[in-house]
């Protein structure tokens, strides 16, 4: 499974699942959005395998993305999850910071992961390179391709104009001749980066911004299943009621998928954006305050919105249709279009790999 296919499914409700395999990580990158440490929290292995074991053909996400922290601190669990997912027709991608790549050779557990997953992605950016040299990460990517698994790089620049991204793209092309695509993002003020990266002023963002991040459920380190990957939603408890889908210890995929797809608030967040919902109940004098996309969303009050006409409409077939149509249009526009809106727009075309 190549990177552009993975990205093109991102706006489709329930097409994917993001799993925090652990919030532990031996590296200490200054920009880490998950604020991972060597002692971070992680979901119970039995609960996680049970949850993925609840996938059934016809009731399973199309892709499962295993992230962290550093998921390859639990390589046996990654292999087990990938095998269980595959039995239900779900393909698996893993994203690693590649702490192990500084040593030559491929340890057996890492090789087993490469063989078990459908896509293997490595984080490379200025911060990771202080811990894992680029040459080591490239050596690992060569081994991944040699074993027949699709590979990609997740890169981060300070901004879209950051020359680091251009220089990295040039180097990657020279080393892999187009076989390794790149998902290039820019720094966000979340996790450890919140200490030193400034937020984009809310006034520069469009007021109506549908949120595709509410399409794939996310398993947090404590096993809670959330409606989106916003780091504050992942980290803080209690979770706003409209963004909590369940827990891996009690709920199987079918129930999580139903909660994600049928929620009228999530349907409206995905299609009209959270600020539209916020304005429905905001006092007239504060309706134009530029709070920001996720701040508005987390502050929504489902009880206040429940009786509103728009929410009642979204609960029925019209809401389902609107949700499906919005996803269909985004899929039709493709992975490049998606990344122009949600990542480093100038580097969106790097998402494609050449045919191997
Ligand atoms: S490798 Fe990833 S998870 Fe680990 S500290 Fe760096 S950014 Fe965080
Ligand atoms: S707008 Fe809401 S659903 Fe979307 S990422 Fe932000 S908090 Fe999550």
């Amino acid at each position: 499974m190549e990177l552009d296919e993975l990205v093109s499914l991102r706006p489709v409700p329930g097409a994917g699942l993001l799993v925090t395999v652990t919030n532990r990580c031996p590296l200490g990158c200054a920009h880490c959005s998950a604020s991972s440490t060597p002692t971070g929290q992680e979901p119970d292995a039995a609960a996680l395998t049970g949850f993925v074991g609840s996938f059934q053909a016809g009731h399973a996400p199309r892709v499962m993305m295993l992230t962290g922290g550093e998921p390859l601190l639990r390589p046996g669990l990654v292999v087990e999850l990938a095998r269980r997912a595959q039995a239900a027709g779900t393909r698996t991608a893993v994203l690693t910071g590649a702490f192990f790549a500084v040593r030559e050779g491929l340890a057996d557990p890492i090789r087993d992961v490469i063989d078990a997953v459908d896509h293997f992605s490595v984080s490379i950016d200025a911060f990771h390179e202080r811990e894992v040299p680029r040459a080591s990460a490239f050596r690992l990517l060569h081994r991944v391709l040699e074993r027949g698994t699709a590979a990609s790089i997740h890169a981060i620049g300070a901004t879209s104009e950051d020359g680091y991204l251009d220089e990295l793209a040039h180097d990657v092309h020279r080393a892999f001749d187009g076989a390794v695509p790149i998902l290039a993002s820019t720094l966000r003020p979340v996790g450890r980066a919140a200490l030193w990266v400034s937020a984009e002023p809310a006034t520069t963002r469009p007021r109506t911004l549908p949120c595709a991040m509410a399409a794939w459920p996310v398993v947090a380190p404590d096993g809670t299943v959330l409606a989106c990957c916003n780091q504050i939603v992942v980290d803080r408890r209690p979770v706003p009621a409209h963004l909590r889908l369940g827990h891996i210890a009690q709920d199987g995929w079918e129930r999580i998928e139903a909660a994600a797809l049928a929620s009228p608030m999530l349907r409206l967040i995905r299609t009209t954006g959270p600020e539209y919902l916020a304005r429905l109940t905001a006092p007239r004098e504060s309706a134009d305050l530029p709070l920001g996309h996720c701040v508005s969303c987390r502050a929504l009050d489902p009880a206040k919105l429940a009786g509103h006409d728009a929410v009642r409409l979204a609960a029925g077939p019209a809401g389902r249709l609107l949700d499906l149509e919005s996803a269909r249009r985004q899929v039709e526009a493709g992975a490049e279009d998606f990344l122009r809106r949600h990542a480093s727009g100038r580097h969106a075309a790097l998402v494609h790999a050449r045919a191997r």
Side-chain angles (χ1 to χ4, degrees):
M1 175 178 49
E2 291 293 355
L3 179 65
D4 49 4
E5 185 187 353
L6 191 62
V7 173
S8 71
L9 289 172
R10 189 64 181 89
V12 182
L17 170 71
L18 289 155
V19 178
T20 311
V21 175
T22 177
N23 210 25
R24 285 188 293 131
C25 182
L27 306 183
C29 309
H31 69 318
C32 183
S33 61
S35 302
S36 295
T37 67
T39 56
Q41 193 179 19
E42 57 194 19
D44 176 69
L48 205 47
T49 48
F51 178 66
V52 173
S54 75
F55 297 179
Q56 290 167 23
H59 267 298
R62 286 155 74 180
V63 295
M64 175 174 73
M65 180 103 195
L66 304 177
T67 68
E70 176 49 71
L72 295 192
L73 285 176
R74 305 178 94 183
L77 179 58
V78 167
V79 170
E80 179 61 23
L81 295 174
R83 286 194 182 135
R84 287 186 177 224
Q86 189 186 35
T90 300
R91 288 175 295 170
T92 299
V94 68
L95 172 63
T96 176
F99 69 94
F100 49 86
V102 290
R103 289 206 196 125
E104 279 208 42
L106 218 47
D108 289 352
I110 303 297
R111 191 202 55 218
D112 292 345
V113 168
I114 294 169
D115 292 346
V117 301
D118 302 278
H119 190 95
F120 192 99
S121 196
V122 178
S123 292
I124 302 181
D125 50 55
F127 310 94
H128 280 93
E129 289 201 48
R130 286 175 203 151
E131 315 255 8
V132 181
R134 186 179 301 186
S136 303
F138 277 20
R139 187 176 58 213
L140 169 64
L141 284 161
H142 277 297
R143 299 292 89 79
V144 173
L145 293 175
E146 282 162 16
R147 299 192 75 79
T149 300
S152 66
I153 291 170
H154 277 219
I156 294 185
T159 66
S160 240
E161 300 310 312
D162 191 342
Y164 172 88
L165 291 173
D166 301 307
E167 181 266 328
L168 176 66
H170 180 260
D171 220 10
V172 170
H173 188 75
R174 222 177 32 194
F176 300 100
D177 190 23
V180 176
I182 302 175
L183 196 165
S185 312
T186 54
L187 276 174
R188 307 272 157 85
V190 286
R192 269 200 287 278
L195 299 173
W196 55 278
V197 176
S198 24
E200 180 192 357
T203 44
T204 65
R205 290 188 283 260
R207 292 184 61 216
T208 301
L209 191 61
C211 181
M213 300 305 126
W216 288 11
V218 176
V219 177
D222 66 354
T224 307
V225 189
L226 310 158
C228 77
C229 56
N230 175 272
Q231 200 61 43
I232 292 176
V233 177
V234 172
D235 292 342
R236 280 192 200 155
R237 298 293 174 269
V239 180
H242 59 293
L243 299 176
R244 188 185 191 280
L245 300 176
H247 194 283
I248 55 168
Q250 290 106 40
D251 303 299
W253 171 255
E254 196 170 345
R255 204 185 295 175
I256 295 295
E257 182 190 38
L261 266 51
S263 157
M265 290 201 41
L266 292 177
R267 286 178 178 175
L268 286 170
I269 288 168
R270 287 190 289 260
T271 54
T272 62
E275 276 155 338
Y276 167 79
L277 277 166
R279 284 197 296 273
L280 292 178
T281 52
R284 183 170 284 279
E285 66 276 13
S286 65
D288 287 329
L289 286 178
L291 271 180
H293 199 53
C294 293
V295 180
S296 301
C297 183
R298 293 193 303 268
L300 291 173
D301 182 345
K304 271 194 198 161
L305 284 160
H308 209 284
D309 285 351
V311 178
R312 280 211 301 270
L313 194 72
R320 175 72 180 136
L321 204 63
L322 184 68
D323 205 11
L324 287 172
E325 179 59 14
S326 165
R328 190 194 64 75
R329 286 187 185 198
Q330 292 182 72
V331 170
E332 201 172 88
E336 223 178 295
D337 179 81
F338 183 83
L339 292 184
R340 265 194 289 275
R341 287 180 286 125
H342 293 283
S344 172
R346 208 163 61 79
H347 301 93
L350 299 173
V351 71
H352 306 295
R354 70 159 164 75
R356 285 186 292 138

mmCIF file of all heavy atoms in Angstrom, residues 211 213-214 228 230 233 243 269 274 293-294 297-298, ligand 2:
data_model
loop_
_atom_site.group_PDB
_atom_site.id
_atom_site.type_symbol
_atom_site.label_atom_id
_atom_site.label_comp_id
_atom_site.label_asym_id
_atom_site.label_seq_id
_atom_site.Cartn_x
_atom_site.Cartn_y
_atom_site.Cartn_z
ATOM 1 N N CYS A 211 -13.609 19.497 9.166
ATOM 2 C CA CYS A 211 -12.470 18.829 9.781
ATOM 3 C C CYS A 211 -12.384 17.359 9.370
ATOM 4 O O CYS A 211 -13.132 16.516 9.872
ATOM 5 C CB CYS A 211 -12.547 18.929 11.300
ATOM 6 S SG CYS A 211 -11.125 18.116 12.036
ATOM 7 N N MET A 213 -10.001 15.494 10.122
ATOM 8 C CA MET A 213 -9.346 14.735 11.196
ATOM 9 C C MET A 213 -10.370 13.975 12.049
ATOM 10 O O MET A 213 -10.000 13.102 12.828
ATOM 11 C CB MET A 213 -8.519 15.657 12.107
ATOM 12 C CG MET A 213 -7.411 16.411 11.402
ATOM 13 S SD MET A 213 -6.297 15.324 10.514
ATOM 14 C CE MET A 213 -6.327 16.027 8.878
ATOM 15 N N ALA A 214 -11.653 14.336 11.914
ATOM 16 C CA ALA A 214 -12.690 13.635 12.680
ATOM 17 C C ALA A 214 -13.212 12.409 11.929
ATOM 18 O O ALA A 214 -14.259 11.871 12.276
ATOM 19 C CB ALA A 214 -13.839 14.588 12.993
ATOM 20 N N CYS A 228 -10.930 12.050 17.076
ATOM 21 C CA CYS A 228 -9.925 12.735 16.258
ATOM 22 C C CYS A 228 -8.550 12.661 16.928
ATOM 23 O O CYS A 228 -8.422 12.223 18.065
ATOM 24 C CB CYS A 228 -10.307 14.199 16.041
ATOM 25 S SG CYS A 228 -9.986 15.225 17.487
ATOM 26 N N ASN A 230 -6.512 15.295 17.508
ATOM 27 C CA ASN A 230 -6.044 16.528 18.150
ATOM 28 C C ASN A 230 -5.333 16.161 19.458
ATOM 29 O O ASN A 230 -5.897 15.443 20.291
ATOM 30 C CB ASN A 230 -7.235 17.459 18.414
ATOM 31 C CG ASN A 230 -6.828 18.696 19.188
ATOM 32 O OD1 ASN A 230 -6.824 18.679 20.410
ATOM 33 N ND2 ASN A 230 -6.473 19.745 18.487
ATOM 34 N N VAL A 233 -7.060 16.595 22.765
ATOM 35 C CA VAL A 233 -8.130 15.606 22.950
ATOM 36 C C VAL A 233 -7.522 14.261 23.365
ATOM 37 O O VAL A 233 -8.038 13.563 24.245
ATOM 38 C CB VAL A 233 -8.971 15.457 21.649
ATOM 39 C CG1 VAL A 233 -10.030 14.390 21.816
ATOM 40 C CG2 VAL A 233 -9.612 16.788 21.272
ATOM 41 N N LEU A 243 -16.510 14.001 21.426
ATOM 42 C CA LEU A 243 -15.276 13.491 20.815
ATOM 43 C C LEU A 243 -14.822 12.159 21.419
ATOM 44 O O LEU A 243 -13.771 11.642 21.090
ATOM 45 C CB LEU A 243 -14.154 14.533 20.955
ATOM 46 C CG LEU A 243 -14.436 15.880 20.260
ATOM 47 C CD1 LEU A 243 -13.314 16.867 20.526
ATOM 48 C CD2 LEU A 243 -14.621 15.683 18.751
ATOM 49 N N ILE A 269 -19.194 18.381 12.081
ATOM 50 C CA ILE A 269 -17.784 18.794 12.204
ATOM 51 C C ILE A 269 -17.028 18.425 10.928
ATOM 52 O O ILE A 269 -16.216 19.181 10.415
ATOM 53 C CB ILE A 269 -17.139 18.151 13.456
ATOM 54 C CG1 ILE A 269 -17.695 18.816 14.722
ATOM 55 C CG2 ILE A 269 -15.617 18.259 13.427
ATOM 56 C CD1 ILE A 269 -17.356 18.093 16.018
ATOM 57 N N PRO A 274 -16.410 22.808 12.943
ATOM 58 C CA PRO A 274 -16.876 23.058 14.307
ATOM 59 C C PRO A 274 -17.328 24.494 14.552
ATOM 60 O O PRO A 274 -18.174 24.751 15.398
ATOM 61 C CB PRO A 274 -15.661 22.719 15.166
ATOM 62 C CG PRO A 274 -14.496 22.832 14.251
ATOM 63 C CD PRO A 274 -14.993 22.455 12.897
ATOM 64 N N HIS A 293 -10.280 26.804 15.279
ATOM 65 C CA HIS A 293 -10.953 25.572 14.883
ATOM 66 C C HIS A 293 -11.117 24.582 16.045
ATOM 67 O O HIS A 293 -12.229 24.278 16.471
ATOM 68 C CB HIS A 293 -10.043 25.006 13.816
ATOM 69 C CG HIS A 293 -10.624 24.005 12.921
ATOM 70 N ND1 HIS A 293 -11.775 24.200 12.217
ATOM 71 C CD2 HIS A 293 -10.175 22.766 12.592
ATOM 72 C CE1 HIS A 293 -12.008 23.131 11.491
ATOM 73 N NE2 HIS A 293 -11.055 22.247 11.708
ATOM 74 N N CYS A 294 -10.019 24.095 16.595
ATOM 75 C CA CYS A 294 -10.083 23.037 17.611
ATOM 76 C C CYS A 294 -10.550 23.574 18.964
ATOM 77 O O CYS A 294 -11.215 22.858 19.709
ATOM 78 C CB CYS A 294 -8.729 22.353 17.751
ATOM 79 S SG CYS A 294 -8.284 21.422 16.283
ATOM 80 N N CYS A 297 -14.182 23.669 18.753
ATOM 81 C CA CYS A 297 -14.713 22.303 18.710
ATOM 82 C C CYS A 297 -14.753 21.686 20.105
ATOM 83 O O CYS A 297 -15.768 21.120 20.524
ATOM 84 C CB CYS A 297 -13.860 21.461 17.775
ATOM 85 S SG CYS A 297 -14.477 19.800 17.571
ATOM 86 N N ARG A 298 -13.647 21.818 20.842
ATOM 87 C CA ARG A 298 -13.594 21.184 22.166
ATOM 88 C C ARG A 298 -14.584 21.820 23.128
ATOM 89 O O ARG A 298 -15.030 21.193 24.078
ATOM 90 C CB ARG A 298 -12.168 21.263 22.732
ATOM 91 C CG ARG A 298 -11.154 20.417 21.956
ATOM 92 C CD ARG A 298 -9.852 20.274 22.730
ATOM 93 N NE ARG A 298 -9.260 21.549 23.063
ATOM 94 C CZ ARG A 298 -8.352 22.188 22.314
ATOM 95 N NH1 ARG A 298 -7.913 21.645 21.189
ATOM 96 N NH2 ARG A 298 -7.860 23.356 22.682
HETATM 97 S S1 LIG B 2 -11.782 20.417 14.953
HETATM 98 FE FE1 LIG B 2 -12.510 19.056 16.588
HETATM 99 S S2 LIG B 2 -12.592 17.040 15.617
HETATM 100 FE FE2 LIG B 2 -11.306 18.334 14.344
HETATM 101 S S3 LIG B 2 -9.201 17.965 15.078
HETATM 102 FE FE3 LIG B 2 -9.989 19.787 16.142
HETATM 103 S S4 LIG B 2 -10.804 18.998 18.074
HETATM 104 FE FE4 LIG B 2 -10.621 17.264 16.675
#
